Amino acid sequence: LNDNNLDSFVAAIDQKAMLARVFEQRLIDTRVKDGVDNSFGSDVRKLFVESFPKVNGEILGKIVGFRRNGANATAVVRWDMPNFKFIYHEFDLVAGSKDRVNIVDWVDFGSGQRFSHGFGDTLVTVVADEAATRTLLRPVSLTGPEAFQTSELLKAARDGKHTRYFDILPGLDVRIRNHPVVAIRSLQMASASRDRGRYKDALATLAEYFPDNPLYATTLLDYYLPQRDYAAARTALLMLGERLGSQDPALKSHLATLSLLVGNEQDASDYAEAAAAEDPGLELAWWAVLRSRTANQRYDEAIAALDVLEDKFGHKLRTTALKRDRLLAQLMETEQFKSWAKPE
C-alpha cells in the first residue's frame, strides 16, 4: 500500500472484470472503448491518484478489515492523512492463479462512488453526446434542451472549465442538479476551483438529499463540523461504521470526540479506551483518551495519557500547549497536572 509504486497495484487489477463493470449499462463511444485496453493502466493510475485530496504530507494506507467468502473477499483500507483526517476504500477481491489476489473494483468513501462507476462516467464524457448523457442520468428523464445543456455541463467538467461549468449549472432543473452524477461533479469542480462558497453549496446538496448514504459520510464532515452540527456528524460516522462492517480505531477515536461534544461522556470513554487498546500506536486515539478521561474527571489516568503523548509521539505538553483546548485547559488547573508539570 505504501511503496509509492502503483505498478504492482495496477497489475493486481482484473482488467477484464473491471472493464465489464465500467461498460455495463453505459453508452460509451466505440472508439473510446477500443482505446481503453491500451490505456487502462495509465487511466487507472491517473484516476486513482486524483481521487485523493491534495494534502501537504504523506497519505498512508492500512488494512483495517478483511472478510472472506469462498474465493471472494473484501478488504477495508483506511488512508491516513495529515491533521487526523482519513478516508476508506473497500476493495472487492477474488482469488487468482498462482496464489495471487486480484482486485475487481473498490468503493471510494472519499469521492463517494465505486471506482468503476467513476471510471465509466469519465469515459462517457469523452464524447458526452446526448444519448450517452440520457443514459448516465437515469432514471431522470431529460427533454431535448436539458440533454444538450447537461452534455455541455459534463464536457465543461471533463475539460476542467470551472467558470463555464458554474455558468451552466444554475440553469438546470433541480432534479438534474441533485442527481448523484451531477452533485458529485459539482463538489469536485468546486473543490478544484477552490471556491469555498460553491463547495459549501455542493456539500449542502449532499446533506439535504443524501444524508443517509454512507458513501458521503466522511465528505459530509466538512459540512457538519463547521456548522457545529456534531450530532449529525456522529450519526454519519456511525452509519459509515455500519456500512464498513466494523468501527476501526480511527473511527472510534473520532466518535469519542463527537460523543463528548454532544454530551455523552460514557460513550466517549468507551470509544476512546477501545481505540487505544486496539491500536496503541494511533496518536489520534490517545488524544481521544486524554479528552474523555479529563471530561470524566479521571485526572490520574489523564496524566498517564499525557505521558504517552509526550514519550511516544514527541509532544511537549507541560507548558501552555493545552490551553488552546477548553476542556484540557481545565486539566491544567488540577493538582495532578501541576504536580506532573513541575520541573524535576
Side-chain angles (χ1 to χ4, degrees), residues 25-27 130-139 142 179:
Q25 297 182 348
R26 289 181 178 85
L27 285 177
E130 293 181 24
T133 299
R134 290 179 187 278
T135 303
L136 195 60
L137 263 73
R138 286 186 301 197
L142 303 178
H179 188 285

Side-chain angles (χ1 to χ4, degrees), residues 310-324:
E310 283 211 337
D311 298 342
K312 181 174 268 189
F313 302 106
H315 293 287
K316 303 299 180 185
L317 304 173
R318 295 171 189 264
T319 55
T320 60
L322 301 179
K323 282 189 174 180
R324 290 171 291 183

Side-chain angles (χ1 to χ4, degrees), residues 23-322:
F23 296 150
E24 184 181 25
Q25 297 182 348
R26 289 181 178 85
L27 285 177
I28 298 172
D29 187 272
T30 304
R31 293 165 296 175
V32 176
K33 280 187 176 182
D34 292 341
V36 168
D37 279 334
N38 295 326
S39 63
F40 181 81
S42 59
D43 289 342
V44 169
R45 285 182 180 85
K46 180 176 182 290
L47 292 171
F48 184 73
V49 170
E50 288 178 351
S51 71
F52 287 90
K54 290 180 174 59
V55 298
N56 294 320
E58 287 187 306
I59 299 178
L60 299 176
K62 182 176 183 177
I63 296 174
V64 296
F66 190 89
R67 301 185 298 276
R68 180 172 180 172
N69 182 16
N72 300 306
T74 299
V76 178
V77 173
R78 185 186 76 227
W79 300 96
D80 294 331
M81 298 178 286
N83 300 318
F84 301 130
K85 291 193 173 184
F86 61 96
I87 57 175
Y88 294 92
H89 284 173
E90 182 184 69
F91 288 88
D92 297 336
L93 308 174
V94 64
S97 60
K98 299 180 181 179
D99 295 326
R100 289 178 59 83
V101 172
N102 291 332
I103 300 168
V104 177
D105 202 354
W106 61 92
V107 179
D108 180 351
F109 289 87
S111 63
Q113 60 187 343
R114 277 193 170 275
F115 182 80
S116 61
H117 291 179
F119 192 2
D121 294 350
T122 297
L123 294 179
V124 169
T125 62
V126 171
V127 175
D129 60 28
E130 293 181 24
T133 299
R134 290 179 187 278
T135 303
L136 195 60
L137 263 73
R138 286 186 301 197
V140 173
S141 178
L142 303 178
T143 66
E146 286 177 337
F148 173 76
Q149 285 295 93
T150 306
S151 296
E152 292 298 302
L153 182 84
L154 296 177
K155 290 175 184 177
R158 175 197 67 194
D159 299 336
K161 295 181 178 179
H162 307 115
T163 301
R164 175 152 176 76
Y165 183 94
F166 288 108
D167 283 344
I168 297 172
L169 185 67
L172 296 176
D173 186 81
V174 66
R175 74 190 197 289
I176 300 172
R177 295 200 306 270
N178 295 339
H179 188 285
V181 168
V182 176
I184 289 297
R185 270 175 173 69
S186 296
L187 188 69
Q188 293 169 342
M189 292 294 282
S191 177
S193 65
R194 299 186 178 183
D195 188 316
R196 292 185 179 181
R198 285 172 173 158
Y199 185 70
K200 184 178 178 181
D201 290 343
L203 286 172
T205 296
L206 291 184
E208 181 176 357
Y209 292 95
F210 310 104
D212 301 324
N213 191 331
L215 282 174
Y216 308 134
T218 51
T219 299
L220 284 175
L221 294 182
D222 286 342
Y223 181 72
Y224 295 136
L225 294 179
Q227 297 195 73
R228 300 186 180 182
D229 192 347
Y230 304 125
R234 185 174 184 271
T235 297
L237 290 188
L238 287 170
M239 180 175 59
L240 175 62
E242 185 175 351
R243 170 62 179 78
L244 293 173
S246 65
Q247 296 167 348
D248 78 292
L251 196 57
K252 287 177 179 174
S253 300
H254 283 290
L255 283 168
T257 300
L258 291 168
S259 295
L260 276 182
L261 290 169
V262 299
N264 193 329
E265 287 85 0
Q266 185 57 55
D267 274 3
S269 178
D270 292 343
Y271 283 128
E273 299 295 340
E278 292 168 19
D279 189 351
L282 181 66
E283 181 183 343
L284 177 63
W286 287 102
W287 283 109
V289 165
L290 175 62
R291 289 190 174 90
S292 69
R293 289 177 180 178
T294 300
N296 284 285
Q297 299 182 10
R298 294 159 51 193
Y299 298 129
D300 289 331
E301 294 171 89
I303 297 302
L306 285 174
D307 281 329
V308 173
L309 288 166
E310 283 211 337
D311 298 342
K312 181 174 268 189
F313 302 106
H315 293 287
K316 303 299 180 185
L317 304 173
R318 295 171 189 264
T319 55
T320 60
L322 301 179

